[in-house]
Amino acid sequence: MKKLQVLGPGCPKCMELARRTEEAAKAAGGDYEVEKVSDLGKIMAFGVLMPPALVVDGEVKVVGQVPSVEEIKKMIA
Amino acid sequence: MKSEQPQEQEVTVAVTAETSLRPCSFTGRMKTAAAELSAQQILKLTLLALGLIIWYPVYGRLAPFSLWITHDIFRIAPNTHLGDAVSFFFLDIPKVFMLLVLVIFGVGIIRSFFTPERTRDILAGKREVLGDVLAALLGVVTPFCSCSAVPLFIGFVEAGIPIGVTFAFLISAPMVNEIALVLLFGLFGWRIALIYLSMGLLIAMTTGWIIGRLNMERQVEDWVYEIRMGQTPALLQKLTWMSRIDYGLHQVRDIVGKVWLYIILGIGAGAAIHGYVPEGFLAALMGRQAWWSVPVAVILGAPLYSNAAGIIPVVQALLAKGAALGTVLAFMMSIIGISFPECVILRKVLKPRLIAVFIGVVTAGIIIVGFIFNAIM
């Protein structure tokens, strides 16, 4: 199972990334666990200064941007 | 800057190509880079180059185009209120969008060199005054949105950057807005754009310096000092030119997607003012003689929140109707620079006293800028 973490304190961009990540995970059909991380301390522990960010199995894949569902699918594959 | 930050190009090549055969010359590098491009990327680059080539000739023909639409397509007589408003609308819409796309793309590429992480590393260990100046300058080119204000603040504090320097950055980033800068340049010429840029920087630097003097370290919420940053993610350390271009295109899609409605509304309002408000009507209200108009404009502007892109067509129309430049610039800066939602977000990390100082100093700065302009222009 892959663990997807969406880092974001709750801004509109962060919510959009969370929505698209869930959509991508559903469309990809694999075994995914999507977690939203809004605690600033945890976000910053990933070294992210500019949320939103997407973390796949502990590796930061995107920072400060909201990629399209298609792009997210590739990142989590 | 930290010495362990490697040169970006080197890392890219090392990651992608076989390290033993790394070509050192520039052309060699270009060849390796070209060999790695996929057909899709080459197509993208070609289209991009074509777009850049036709941009200027198209931009230069927008004025006749707007008159043609107004008078020949819509058959509105010239020199009427409606005719003025409609031609203003059809001139500004393509003009603003063309400028925006070009500039956001360019700025996007520049920004890919100044990630917040790098900005932080540059600022870490700088003294007050030099730090204030650098922070204000970096604020212009570092990507910033109100949702990243808090993490940035924490990251800066954690890296030991003085609070005044941090504020110089936090003020300059939203206040000297690159969209505003470009629109001012496109609609009013380089002089006003330059004035806006330097005044914004000046306010950011002075405010940073003042807050630094006031020893406000205790006015930051205590938990901020307990946060520990993780390592900078690896993906931010290896950027190829292709990914910089992609980042620029991404920014265009993101920003234009977010602000287009503001722009159309702003240009609509501007067009209405342009066509229907009589010439010189605003001179009494927002003109130079009315000294009180500057503080009133700032106070009215502070709770309003709009995108820079939406406010500038309005600014253009106001100016044309006799409003004084200082008053209008103050109004614009206060709308862009002091935003209520941002203060609410910053409240998480700052105690009320520091927020009050922040708002107070910025407001005062903008009012002073307004007065100076009205006095010298």
Side-chain angles (χ1 to χ4, degrees), chain B residues 13-202:
Chain B
V13 177
V15 168
T16 46
E18 287 85 351
T19 36
S20 55
L21 288 171
R22 197 166 72 200
C24 294
S25 69
F26 180 72
T27 45
R29 257 194 222 169
M30 291 295 285
K31 269 183 201 156
T32 339
E36 283 157 17
L37 290 179
S38 68
Q40 201 191 357
Q41 286 172 325
I42 292 173
L43 181 69
K44 192 192 272 175
L45 287 178
T46 318
L47 287 177
L48 199 65
L50 270 179
L52 288 177
I53 292 168
I54 59 165
W55 190 92
Y56 191 73
V58 173
Y59 187 78
R61 286 176 181 75
L62 291 179
F65 167 78
S66 71
L67 294 178
W68 176 71
I69 287 213
T70 316
H71 303 316
D72 294 345
I73 302 286
F74 287 117
R75 308 214 160 273
I76 300 167
N79 299 322
T80 55
H81 286 317
L82 187 62
D84 282 355
V86 171
S87 63
F88 180 92
F89 188 78
F90 281 106
L91 176 58
D92 264 22
I93 294 262
K95 196 171 177 179
V96 164
F97 275 100
M98 284 185 75
L99 277 171
L100 264 188
V101 168
L102 185 70
V103 168
I104 294 173
F105 178 66
V107 169
I109 291 192
I110 297 176
R111 280 185 165 178
S112 68
F113 289 94
F114 292 93
T115 57
E117 288 77 11
R118 176 171 279 191
T119 295
R120 177 196 57 194
D121 294 344
I122 295 175
L123 290 178
K126 292 287 183 302
R127 300 267 188 106
E128 242 352 82
V129 178
L130 174 64
D132 292 332
V133 173
L134 271 178
L137 290 171
L138 286 167
V140 182
V141 288
T142 307
F144 179 84
C145 76
S146 51
C147 56
S148 58
V150 165
L152 269 174
F153 182 87
I154 300 174
F156 279 25
V157 168
E158 204 248 16
I161 297 170
I163 207 130
V165 177
T166 305
F167 265 95
F169 179 86
L170 282 181
I171 293 165
S172 137
M175 176 106 80
V176 185
N177 181 297
E178 78 284 357
I179 300 177
L181 197 59
V182 169
L183 293 181
L184 285 176
F185 173 77
L187 302 176
F188 306 110
W190 63 271
R191 203 167 303 187
I192 291 188
L194 187 69
I195 290 172
Y196 163 74
L197 172 70
S198 39
M199 286 300 156
L201 288 176
L202 197 67

Side-chain angles (χ1 to χ4, degrees), chain A residues 9 11-14 40-41 44-52 60-68 71, chain B residues 116-117 120 143 147-148 150-152 154-155 223 227-233 235-236 247 250 253-254 348:
Chain A
C11 57
K13 263 170 122 176
C14 314
L40 277 170
M44 307 209 58
F46 281 102
V48 169
L49 272 183
M50 193 173 52
V60 180
K61 291 285 190 182
V62 191
V63 178
Q65 293 182 53
V66 184
S68 67
E71 285 167 314
Chain B
E117 288 77 11
R120 177 196 57 194
C147 56
S148 58
V150 165
L152 269 174
I154 300 174
W223 63 270
I227 286 190
R228 290 288 159 261
M229 277 294 287
Q231 283 277 314
T232 302
L235 96 149
L236 291 172
Y247 179 75
H250 232 281
R253 205 169 61 192
D254 253 28
K348 277 196 213 160

Side-chain angles (χ1 to χ4, degrees), chain B residues 81-372:
Chain B
H81 286 317
L82 187 62
D84 282 355
V86 171
S87 63
F88 180 92
F89 188 78
F90 281 106
L91 176 58
D92 264 22
I93 294 262
K95 196 171 177 179
V96 164
F97 275 100
M98 284 185 75
L99 277 171
L100 264 188
V101 168
L102 185 70
V103 168
I104 294 173
F105 178 66
V107 169
I109 291 192
I110 297 176
R111 280 185 165 178
S112 68
F113 289 94
F114 292 93
T115 57
E117 288 77 11
R118 176 171 279 191
T119 295
R120 177 196 57 194
D121 294 344
I122 295 175
L123 290 178
K126 292 287 183 302
R127 300 267 188 106
E128 242 352 82
V129 178
L130 174 64
D132 292 332
V133 173
L134 271 178
L137 290 171
L138 286 167
V140 182
V141 288
T142 307
F144 179 84
C145 76
S146 51
C147 56
S148 58
V150 165
L152 269 174
F153 182 87
I154 300 174
F156 279 25
V157 168
E158 204 248 16
I161 297 170
I163 207 130
V165 177
T166 305
F167 265 95
F169 179 86
L170 282 181
I171 293 165
S172 137
M175 176 106 80
V176 185
N177 181 297
E178 78 284 357
I179 300 177
L181 197 59
V182 169
L183 293 181
L184 285 176
F185 173 77
L187 302 176
F188 306 110
W190 63 271
R191 203 167 303 187
I192 291 188
L194 187 69
I195 290 172
Y196 163 74
L197 172 70
S198 39
M199 286 300 156
L201 288 176
L202 197 67
I203 292 179
M205 291 170 194
T206 349
T207 312
W209 185 77
I210 292 174
I211 290 179
R213 287 283 81 94
L214 291 176
N215 293 323
M216 292 301 233
E217 268 75 11
R218 309 293 308 268
Q219 294 298 320
V220 174
E221 295 287 351
D222 301 327
W223 63 270
V224 170
Y225 292 112
E226 280 150 29
I227 286 190
R228 290 288 159 261
M229 277 294 287
Q231 283 277 314
T232 302
L235 96 149
L236 291 172
Q237 296 174 352
K238 41 164 191 183
L239 275 179
T240 60
W241 269 101
M242 203 57 217
S243 60
R244 292 185 196 285
I245 290 173
D246 279 340
Y247 179 75
L249 293 174
H250 232 281
Q251 291 276 94
V252 170
R253 205 169 61 192
D254 253 28
I255 298 180
V256 176
K258 210 166 55 190
V259 303
W260 68 271
L261 190 62
Y262 284 95
I263 297 180
I264 291 180
L265 290 177
I267 295 177
I273 297 175
H274 192 82
Y276 291 93
V277 176
E279 211 71 39
F281 172 77
L282 288 169
L285 271 173
M286 296 181 82
R288 261 206 287 180
Q289 300 82 352
W291 66 268
W292 44 265
S293 69
V294 175
V296 169
V298 172
I299 290 163
L300 281 180
L304 286 179
Y305 180 69
S306 162
N307 242 290
I311 196 70
I312 288 183
V314 178
V315 164
Q316 187 188 16
L318 289 176
L319 277 180
K321 299 300 173 184
L325 182 61
T327 310
V328 172
L329 270 185
F331 183 58
M332 184 182 93
M333 285 182 142
S334 118
I335 290 181
I336 304 175
I338 310 172
S339 89
F340 184 67
E342 196 184 303
C343 292
V344 171
I345 295 172
L346 281 175
R347 174 65 192 91
K348 277 196 213 160
V349 281
L350 305 178
K351 293 180 183 162
R353 189 140 144 228
L354 184 46
I355 295 211
V357 170
F358 165 61
I359 298 177
V361 180
V362 175
T363 310
I366 297 175
I367 292 178
I368 293 170
V369 166
F371 280 137
I372 293 178

